[in-house]
Amino acid sequence: MKNGERFLNLIDLNDYPVSWWKHLLELGHEIRLSPESFSHACDGKIMGTLFYEPSTRTQMSFQTAMLRLGGTIIGFDNPATSSVAKGENIKDTTKIVSGYADIMVMRHPTAGSVKAAALTAECPVINAGDGGHLHPTQTLTDLMTLSEEKGTLEGLTIGLCGDLKNGRTVHSLIKAMSCFKGNRFVLISTKELALPAYMKDILSASGHAYTEAESLDDVMGELDVLYMTRIQRERFASEEEYLAQKGNYILDRKKMAKAKHDMIVLHPLPRVDEIAIEVDDDQRAMYFKQAKYGMYVRMALILTILRNDGTPAPVVKGRIRHGRCSNPKCITNQELYLPHYFTGTGDTVVCEYCDERTLL
Ligand code: NCD
């Protein structure tokens, strides 16, 4: 078997069919109703968590999920205290840890980094966020929240507000929700933080309608779901650029008064200032509950991957080509030993690590 095809890695949810996501949501639901029935499901198994970037919810919910399944955990949450600080590359660190653990969860500041790790890892790898690119397990969290709280994943008008350019949770969620019929997307951001072109390509190709808006007030009344996001300070080139965007969108009680009575507010958290604290008491504010759903669906994910009941592993789709990805934030421009995989033909192709269009 070729590298990257051996395990049920979760790099991008869209590598798997919707039926597999639904299985995870159903299992997550079952676990939520009866967590004690699963408390020995992963006895003796070890999960490695490699967090090269700060995290509270994702890391702790993965760790709690594994502990609640009877497994144990190893890992780091500060690369400065690991051999990464000595200059070790991703391949070596992840190859070693994946040889110690049965399943590995990784977060890294660079797009495509987790895919790169999965090419040579010796156990299944889960993407817990790769730069501004994707965050599939946050999306599972979001899907579980929608299916439990709205009862459907179809026919929803979904407003996404804030940093649509750098927000990996937004990118993953749009990719996933564009696989369900009848959804409509309202993209609410400043021009500077608009959804990247490659994501708009994905939306257009899926045939879903989307509109762009600069005012949250103007669109509040249309929405079934409002997905608020933080301005991703750490992804800006300068503090000035960040400060120009900070505070542009703040959801408060006044805006909530314009929304449907059954609209729900999601946020991957952490919140900075984009949702006023006064909104927390509104019954439509779902973000704390959402974080709890994340733990159950991650339990379902760990269990499903470790059981590996025959779900086919995704294969590397792209062909190796000469030439570089033009995205400076792509892992292939940092870890130069990586093979270059691109999909598509002709001169304009798509980099399989970061999904950006590039001219070869
Ligand atoms: C998100 C992330 O890391 O992308 N947080 C999370 O995992 N819940 C959102 C964010 O940091 O803004």
Side-chain angles (χ1 to χ4, degrees), residues 100-143:
Y100 297 155
D102 299 295
I103 186 165
M104 190 167 80
V105 179
M106 177 176 165
R107 168 174 288 189
H108 192 277
T110 310
S113 50
V114 187
K115 184 180 190 75
L119 292 176
T120 43
E122 294 181 11
C123 75
V125 181
I126 298 173
N127 181 3
D130 61 327
H133 183 219
L134 294 174
H135 192 346
T137 69
Q138 180 62 46
T139 299
L140 284 173
T141 301
D142 303 339
L143 296 184

Side-chain angles (χ1 to χ4, degrees), residues 252-272:
D252 55 15
R253 244 187 230 150
K254 220 166 121 209
K255 288 195 181 67
M256 287 296 284
K258 296 187 173 171
K260 293 182 187 170
H261 71 280
D262 62 347
M263 180 214 61
I264 58 171
V265 182
L266 269 57
H267 191 310
L269 302 177
R271 136 176 78 184
V272 181

Side-chain angles (χ1 to χ4, degrees), residues 159-327:
L160 299 113
C161 178
D163 191 345
L164 309 189
K165 178 181 178 201
N166 301 299
R168 56 193 171 200
T169 64
V170 167
H171 305 161
S172 280
L173 183 60
I174 290 178
K175 278 185 87 167
M177 290 307 282
S178 63
C179 294
F180 297 95
K181 58 178 191 289
N183 291 328
R184 193 167 77 79
F185 300 88
V186 184
L187 310 173
I188 311 145
S189 75
T190 60
K191 287 197 171 59
E192 292 77 15
L193 298 186
L195 196 69
Y198 81 87
M199 282 299 311
K200 287 185 184 165
D201 289 349
I202 291 171
L203 262 181
S204 305
S206 74
H208 283 75
Y210 70 88
T211 49
E212 295 185 271
E214 284 203 53
S215 157
L216 179 54
D217 267 301
D218 289 356
V219 298
M220 272 311 273
E222 307 170 22
L223 309 176
D224 299 310
V225 179
L226 172 58
Y227 197 87
M228 290 297 294
T229 62
R230 167 181 77 88
I231 307 299
Q232 307 275 302
R233 182 181 202 158
E234 66 277 28
R235 315 245 181 261
F236 281 72
S238 72
E239 185 68 1
E240 289 69 41
E241 284 169 76
Y242 165 69
L243 291 174
Q245 299 297 329
K246 185 184 178 310
N248 281 337
Y249 295 99
I250 297 182
L251 180 67
D252 55 15
R253 244 187 230 150
K254 220 166 121 209
K255 288 195 181 67
M256 287 296 284
K258 296 187 173 171
K260 293 182 187 170
H261 71 280
D262 62 347
M263 180 214 61
I264 58 171
V265 182
L266 269 57
H267 191 310
L269 302 177
R271 136 176 78 184
V272 181
D273 58 0
E274 58 282 355
I275 302 181
I277 307 284
E278 62 189 22
V279 176
D280 296 358
D281 297 330
D282 191 307
Q283 59 176 11
R284 296 167 291 181
M286 217 48 75
Y287 28 94
F288 294 119
K289 212 166 172 192
Q290 182 185 355
K292 190 89 181 262
Y293 284 132
M295 181 186 71
Y296 295 120
V297 80
R298 287 182 174 110
M299 286 172 80
L301 176 67
I302 294 168
L303 197 54
T304 301
I305 288 181
L306 286 177
R307 274 184 186 158
N308 194 351
D309 56 1
T311 309
V315 294
V316 173
K317 297 186 287 285
R319 287 183 301 128
I320 297 191
R321 303 257 309 238
H322 293 295
R324 297 223 140 264
C325 172
S326 58
N327 175 11

